[in-house]
Amino acid sequence: MAPLLKDELDIVIPTIRNLDFLEVWRPFFQPYHLIIVQDGDPTRTVMVPEGFDYELYNRNDINRILGPKASCISFKDSACRCFGYMVSKKKYVYTIDDDCFVAKDPTGKDIDALAKHIQNLLCPSTPLFFNTLYDPYQEGADFVRGYPFSLREGVPTAVSHGLWLNIPDYDAPTQLVKPRERNGRYVDAVMTIPKGSLFPMCGMNLAFDRELIGPAMYFGLMGDGQPIGRYDDMWAGWCVKVICDHLGLGVKTGLPYIWHSKASNPFVNLKKEYKGIFWQEDIIPFFQAAKLTKECDTVQKCYISLSQQVKEKLGKIDPYFVKLADAMVTWIEAWDMLNSKDSKEADANGSKPKGK
Amino acid sequence: MAPLLKDELDIVIPTIRNLDFLEVWRPFFQPYHLIIVQDGDPTRTVMVPEGFDYELYNRNDINRILGPKASCISFKDSACRCFGYMVSKKKYVYTIDDDCFVAKDPTGKDIDALAKHIQNLLCPSTPLFFNTLYDPYQEGADFVRGYPFSLREGVPTAVSHGLWLNIPDYDAPTQLVKPRERNGRYVDAVMTIPKGSLFPMCGMNLAFDRELIGPAMYFGLMGDGQPIGRYDDMWAGWCVKVICDHLGLGVKTGLPYIWHSKASNPFVNLKKEYKGIFWQEDIIPFFQAAKLTKECDTVQKCYISLSQQVKEKLGKIDPYFVKLADAMVTWIEAWDMLNSKDSKEADANGSKPKGK
């Protein structure tokens, strides 16, 4: 059983609607504090079911808190959720989409996704050598013959990437080609993504250690006024993985599953993804080749270095990447502004956002 | 359903006893040709159940066929199985230990391990980018959002590494510490081991494409007269993975499971593994750093280059590695001797080994 990390974990939810989906999560989420990031029209009221402890930020709040630096937070795109990562004061963050429900394991039991994420984050990762029996720290598993003993202590886990039953996280072309495909395969495994290997990180069901990797969890410039959408979590995942590899941190994927209830519109998605489909062909080799020097010994320094490389190398593809590189710097400035020692003290005495 | 590759696959079994275990495999193995490599005393008779098509080689056969080059084939160690890879004339090889039985899937159905290996080998691998929904070529699965389209054709699969229910493949120290541990976790997944990541390859339940990677499947010098045992498959796996990464070939792991019936004696194993436990701490960084040049454009050339690096770098650790490096060269010479065009013609007219 994973411990309840009540005072150490926030749940971040981006939304444009009433959070009725929380009802099914009540047994699992109610002990935790929620940070709700309201996207779109700030005058709309987002209803939160009774009994949840939450704070809610709309666009006006984001603009007020960050001032000119609010430009780094996307609007009309779920990428806005990363504002929640920034204002959290907890060690861990779990973020989930509001169309994700409680999945069942093969025995028919409700899956406590959050408890599994906590378990994943609290036990080490093994990025330096592949273990064929998956996570060696799980009950009933271990390192197999031939696994170097010097590597069995593992490294701290920074990210736990959970998966989805029912509607898989497909891109628009795949959605169009396979409109009826559903994910019914329950794979009973958690594994570390090896060092040097990039992966497509989905923000639907994702937990991470803010203290270890928070400043790299920037979801980029997406949506309103931007040429691209639906690459927010991918962008974060590429940056995060390169930095985790450099700093000796682990990224896990696999369990837990959530139940993803409905596919987004593939035509709308195609419009959002269109440029990304071309750009990712250059972005991925770029991240595969990105180098961080020994001087980059904090997440912030790594991230600033990546932003410079983005500007220099990807800026040639499209002026968007120059803007994104600048936003990456602004994000770090904003992060540090809200997460410095002084800001924490001010926060302790300062004005509270909406919520209860 | 995987096709029956009757004329394209041999099953290689190393043994010192009667092959009663074949009875449970009869529905699955009987269509195939078996190559039995008898270890130990060549005067002993190994009984094979009625109705199987097989050829059997004992130590005298190996010495007769390879002459002085027989020195590269281990004696009194299941590493001798690689002689079977060499004399096979088929495109694919499946090798299995004689204490491995048919496992059941979670629905209670017998698992046709060989059919699943064939399916793994016939569909591509994806070593260049990680797919979070595991093998994208499986029924009901695909590439997830953010997976570059240029990489979706995949690369040819050279190796399919299957797993074990019941007795896991643990080293002696883990066996000693966890004498009662059994693997009951059926993980319904096949995945590609990413490029650049090494893994502990177990020879218990292993299939590969001889044409793509055969000459690298050398199980080294183990057992009689050698300072080490139980690193035969590990050694092969490290060499194979480095060469697959260089040549753009894929290695898959996961399904199918076999039922591993009994743990070998941990005290005997500790004696065999003892030096390997120290050596692997140097061997793994060595393979992680091994470089193959552009000129290495065949498996043979890659393997000879690795043998030179083994001699130069690992030879400093122990004279054993100098001997092993020489044996690696002998292995390639022997492979080419038995697998040249001329030898194939001679074989067509030549003397048959024992079997029917």
Side-chain angles (χ1 to χ4, degrees), chain B residues 20-302:
Chain B
D20 304 327
F21 92 113
L22 283 172
E23 281 302 346
V24 296
W25 289 105
R26 191 180 287 277
F28 307 120
F29 288 0
Q30 201 160 351
Y32 293 94
H33 181 67
L34 312 181
I35 298 178
I36 299 162
V37 185
Q38 179 182 346
D39 197 19
D41 179 6
T43 66
R44 199 187 172 295
T45 302
V46 165
M47 303 295 290
V48 181
E50 275 297 311
F52 284 94
D53 171 53
Y54 70 94
E55 56 196 291
L56 184 149
Y57 299 90
N58 64 28
R59 190 69 210 184
N60 295 337
D61 299 316
I62 295 172
N63 289 341
R64 176 175 48 80
I65 291 167
L66 293 184
K69 297 197 202 312
S71 62
C72 73
I73 304 296
S74 298
F75 187 48
K76 295 192 180 166
D77 191 286
S78 73
C80 67
R81 75 175 83 203
C82 64
F83 178 76
Y85 311 158
M86 195 181 254
V87 294
S88 168
K89 297 286 175 273
K90 306 283 172 63
K91 181 168 168 58
Y92 301 103
V93 160
Y94 175 51
T95 185
I96 181 168
D97 280 5
D98 62 7
D99 63 346
C100 292
F101 295 86
V102 178
K104 289 186 186 299
D105 72 17
T107 72
K109 207 175 144 229
D110 280 353
I111 298 167
D112 182 352
L114 186 43
K116 183 66 188 166
H117 277 297
I118 290 170
Q119 195 189 68
N120 289 346
L121 289 169
L122 292 183
C123 76
S125 290
T126 52
L128 301 174
F129 197 76
F130 191 93
N131 194 49
T132 51
L133 284 185
Y134 310 99
D135 189 342
Y137 305 106
Q138 302 262 321
E139 184 77 22
D142 213 312
F143 294 95
V144 300
R145 180 169 55 92
Y147 203 103
F149 283 86
S150 63
L151 298 178
R152 295 191 187 194
E153 205 177 320
V155 305
T157 301
V159 177
S160 168
H161 178 261
L163 300 176
W164 343 276
L165 290 174
N166 195 36
I167 306 287
D169 186 30
Y170 286 166
D171 48 56
T174 309
Q175 281 184 299
L176 289 165
V177 171
K178 293 180 154 184
R180 293 173 63 90
E181 190 147 296
R182 297 293 179 269
N183 185 26
R185 185 185 296 254
Y186 183 95
V187 175
D188 184 19
V190 176
M191 49 176 311
T192 298
I193 301 174
K195 183 173 177 177
S197 186
L198 293 177
F199 79 116
M201 188 178 83
C202 171
M204 231 189 287
N205 172 26
L206 179 72
F208 60 92
D209 185 324
R210 267 185 91 244
E211 289 178 8
L212 289 179
I213 199 66
M217 271 293 172
Y218 176 45
F219 273 41
L221 292 176
M222 303 283 147
D224 195 50
Q226 309 301 340
I228 188 175
R230 282 171 60 83
Y231 276 87
D232 50 340
D233 41 7
M234 297 299 139
W235 183 261
W238 297 324
C239 295
V240 158
K241 188 59 167 55
V242 167
I243 294 174
C244 282
D245 284 351
H246 176 72
L247 295 178
L249 302 170
V251 176
K252 290 188 171 184
T253 184
L255 300 180
Y257 287 94
I258 51 79
W259 180 266
H260 186 205
S261 66
K262 66 169 202 354
S264 41
N265 184 312
F267 297 97
V268 173
N269 290 346
L270 185 60
K271 211 165 181 177
K272 292 179 181 173
E273 290 172 11
Y274 178 72
K275 283 173 188 272
I277 288 171
F278 298 94
W279 288 346
Q280 70 186 0
E281 299 294 338
D282 291 308
I283 296 173
I284 283 159
F286 162 78
F287 278 110
Q288 284 172 333
K291 289 271 172 292
L292 294 169
T293 62
K294 257 196 307 199
E295 286 67 41
C296 295
D297 55 2
T298 66
V299 178
Q300 276 89 336
K301 286 185 202 167
C302 290

Side-chain angles (χ1 to χ4, degrees), chain A residues 135-150:
Chain A
D135 189 342
Y137 305 106
Q138 302 262 321
E139 184 78 21
D142 213 309
F143 294 94
V144 299
R145 180 170 57 92
Y147 203 104
F149 284 86
S150 63

Side-chain angles (χ1 to χ4, degrees), chain A residues 10-198:
Chain A
D10 283 334
I11 300 175
V12 172
I13 305 166
T15 195
I16 51 167
R17 55 191 147 192
N18 295 337
L19 292 177
D20 304 326
F21 92 113
L22 283 173
E23 281 302 346
V24 296
W25 288 105
R26 191 180 288 276
F28 307 119
F29 288 0
Q30 201 160 347
Y32 292 93
H33 181 67
L34 312 181
I35 298 177
I36 298 163
V37 184
Q38 178 181 347
D39 197 18
D41 180 6
T43 66
R44 199 187 173 294
T45 302
V46 165
M47 303 296 289
V48 182
E50 275 296 310
F52 283 94
D53 171 53
Y54 70 94
E55 55 196 292
L56 184 149
Y57 299 90
N58 65 27
R59 190 70 209 183
N60 294 336
D61 300 316
I62 296 172
N63 289 340
R64 176 175 50 77
I65 292 167
L66 292 185
K69 295 196 204 313
S71 61
C72 74
I73 304 297
S74 298
F75 187 47
K76 295 191 179 166
D77 191 285
S78 74
C80 67
R81 76 175 82 204
C82 64
F83 179 75
Y85 310 158
M86 195 180 251
V87 295
S88 168
K89 297 286 174 273
K90 306 282 172 61
K91 181 169 167 56
Y92 301 103
V93 160
Y94 175 50
T95 185
I96 182 169
D97 280 6
D98 62 7
D99 62 348
C100 292
F101 294 85
V102 178
K104 289 187 187 298
D105 72 17
T107 72
K109 205 175 145 227
D110 280 353
I111 298 167
D112 182 351
L114 186 43
K116 183 65 189 165
H117 276 299
I118 289 169
Q119 195 188 68
N120 289 345
L121 289 169
L122 293 183
C123 77
S125 290
T126 53
L128 300 174
F129 196 75
F130 191 93
N131 194 49
T132 51
L133 284 185
Y134 310 99
D135 189 342
Y137 305 106
Q138 302 262 321
E139 184 78 21
D142 213 309
F143 294 94
V144 299
R145 180 170 57 92
Y147 203 104
F149 284 86
S150 63
L151 299 178
R152 296 191 187 193
E153 203 177 322
V155 306
T157 301
V159 177
S160 168
H161 178 259
L163 300 176
W164 342 277
L165 291 174
N166 194 37
I167 306 288
D169 186 30
Y170 285 166
D171 48 55
T174 309
Q175 282 184 299
L176 289 165
V177 170
K178 294 181 154 183
R180 292 172 64 91
E181 190 147 296
R182 298 292 179 270
N183 185 26
R185 184 186 295 255
Y186 183 94
V187 175
D188 185 19
V190 176
M191 48 176 310
T192 298
I193 301 175
K195 183 173 177 177
S197 187
L198 293 176

